[in-house]
Amino acid sequence: MRALQLTEPGRLELREVPAPEPGPTELLIQVGASGLCHSDLHVLHLPFKVRDEPLTLGHEIAGTIAAVGDQVAGRTTGERGVVYLCWSCGVCPECASGNENVCRAAGRVAMPPCPGLGPDGGMAEYVAVPASSFVPIGDLDFVAAAPLADAALTSYHAIRGAHDQLYPGSTAVVIGAGGLGHVGIQILRALTATRIVAVDTDPAKRELATECGAHETLAAGDDTADRILAMTGGRGAEAVFDFVGVDATAQLSVRSVAPNGAYRMIGLGDGNPGITAGPAGGPELPWGATVRKSYGGTKRDLIDSIALARAGRISARTEQFALADGAHAYALLEQGRIRGRAVLVP
Ligand code: NAD
Ligand code: ZN
């Protein structure tokens, strides 16, 4: 089969490789679509190899069950679904509580095995996945469904975790209206009556944010925090979702979140929010504000995201590419030229 693989740091190649054999507890998925995430770019730019052998990228996978492992019950070939990206142990106290995204087996700072970031991912014709990771999508289109597996899941999880602050009349700031952020705005619209302020450097992404339901948009710049404070009576936004995570956006989050507000760190740009344990005052984090470094989501978050999509309440805007054009699609993503989510179709 053909697979888009990371062969050396920074080098993507479309390679001919053997199709995987599903193990006894696995499913073989015939990939229908596989989304491109900005996280893949972070991996692409690591100065070292993620693993010795070439790695097939792709952690937003939608497809059809092509074969079922011997020990798998309750799944049949031909079922359509997406792959839950936390390949967690399923039995530790966190998994038992439904917090599979912080599975104990992953250790303190790692994440549970994720397709395309350790095990082979979905940018191929076939991928083998744990049977427990398969979540049905009904008749949703594969291209529409693939981004639910991360762009929606991760946004949904961060938003659900800030629910107490998202009361009617509150303000939520979404920084970065890219693959994740443009879905996050729709989830906020579907679940809450908060006022949504989208911040992006790119006018085209601000336009997309408006199309997705943002009430106001702001260009990211030196005065953005002051403008958010001006819009909120000097108090700040009850929730700030940073889908970028560079120094500027992390510091914007700290400076624009309200007392008792929720600052959610989702973007992985290595940004330093500059939080200190000093007293309140000045541009520092206000009293009561919480910071959460939010990873992925729970399987329930994925199920809920799929339900929102099936109900027509959220829909990822997608740009479709052939598997063979994967490297080109990543280049466009890196240049900020993808509107919504890029998705590869094998
Ligand atoms: P993307 O490239 O599709 O979107 C990024 C958006 O941010 C673009 O609209 C861009 O114009 C905007 N932007 C860039 N710099 C900005 C700035 N300084 N101020 C305001 N806006 C700015 O990326 P994506 O796929 O949506 O991923 C976003 C981030 O989330 C990445 O860092 C990715 O690694 C991370 N991520 C985290 C998790 C998690 O579990 N925490 C999951 C998936 C992705
Ligand atoms: Zn991702």
Side-chain angles (χ1 to χ4, degrees):
M1 67 168 190
R2 291 166 304 130
L4 186 68
Q5 297 194 315
L6 180 59
T7 51
E8 295 287 333
R11 176 132 153 237
L12 278 175
E13 284 180 68
L14 187 70
R15 298 183 70 231
E16 198 64 42
V17 300
E21 294 274 335
T25 60
E26 292 182 334
L27 303 171
L28 182 69
I29 304 292
Q30 180 178 12
V31 178
S34 182
L36 279 72
C37 180
H38 204 109
S39 299
D40 301 333
L41 292 175
H42 300 315
V43 174
L44 207 59
H45 293 312
L46 290 174
F48 52 86
K49 281 190 172 189
V50 185
R51 66 178 202 193
D52 285 340
E53 65 272 33
L55 166 70
T56 305
L57 290 177
H59 56 263
E60 275 187 352
I61 309 167
T64 311
I65 300 179
V68 179
D70 295 344
Q71 291 170 25
V72 177
R75 289 283 168 232
T76 50
T77 54
E79 278 185 275
R80 309 168 76 258
V82 290
V83 176
Y84 175 53
L85 57 69
C86 298
W87 291 0
S88 317
C89 78
V91 292
C92 75
E94 292 294 358
C95 286
S97 307
N99 304 321
E100 305 95 330
N101 58 326
V102 291
C103 171
R104 286 204 181 181
R108 184 164 174 271
V109 290
M111 54 211 198
C114 173
L117 298 172
D120 279 325
M123 293 185 174
E125 290 171 75
Y126 293 92
V127 59
V129 308
S132 58
S133 70
F134 185 85
V135 182
I137 53 169
D139 57 4
L140 278 180
D141 176 67
F142 289 135
V143 172
L148 299 174
D150 183 11
L153 167 80
T154 299
S155 305
Y156 188 93
H157 183 70
I159 290 165
R160 183 171 62 78
H163 179 262
D164 284 354
Q165 292 300 313
L166 296 169
Y167 46 81
S170 65
T171 299
V173 173
V174 171
I175 307 174
L180 268 64
H182 91 287
V183 180
I185 291 166
Q186 297 176 58
I187 294 171
L188 283 166
R189 277 302 280 248
L191 301 185
T192 77
T194 192
R195 170 173 61 159
I196 304 163
V197 180
V199 178
D200 206 296
T201 39
D202 179 349
K205 307 297 166 57
R206 296 199 295 274
E207 205 178 290
L208 174 62
T210 303
E211 183 189 313
C212 289
H215 300 93
E216 323 241 4
T217 63
L218 293 174
D222 293 340
D223 63 343
T224 314
D226 290 337
R227 294 184 63 179
I228 294 168
L229 293 179
M231 292 164 79
T232 52
R235 202 173 152 79
E238 280 73 17
V240 180
F241 301 97
D242 181 3
F243 289 106
V244 183
V246 298
D247 283 345
T249 60
Q251 286 158 24
L252 169 62
S253 304
V254 170
R255 294 187 56 188
S256 60
V257 69
N260 270 8
Y263 161 24
R264 299 296 179 253
M265 227 182 236
I266 304 127
L268 306 174
D270 276 337
N272 183 347
I275 297 168
T276 62
E284 292 282 345
L285 194 68
W287 297 116
T290 60
V291 181
R292 183 183 217 191
K293 190 168 155 184
S294 195
Y295 176 65
T298 68
K299 192 184 282 180
R300 176 65 194 268
D301 292 327
L302 178 57
I303 291 169
D304 289 357
S305 298
I306 293 167
L308 283 175
R310 294 191 68 187
R313 302 295 296 275
I314 63 171
S315 70
R317 308 301 194 264
T318 53
E319 290 191 31
Q320 195 174 317
F321 297 86
L323 185 60
D325 296 329
H328 173 61
Y330 275 113
L332 293 176
L333 177 63
E334 182 135 49
Q335 292 156 20
R337 288 164 61 194
I338 298 293
R339 189 173 192 273
R341 203 59 151 172
V343 175
L344 299 187
V345 175

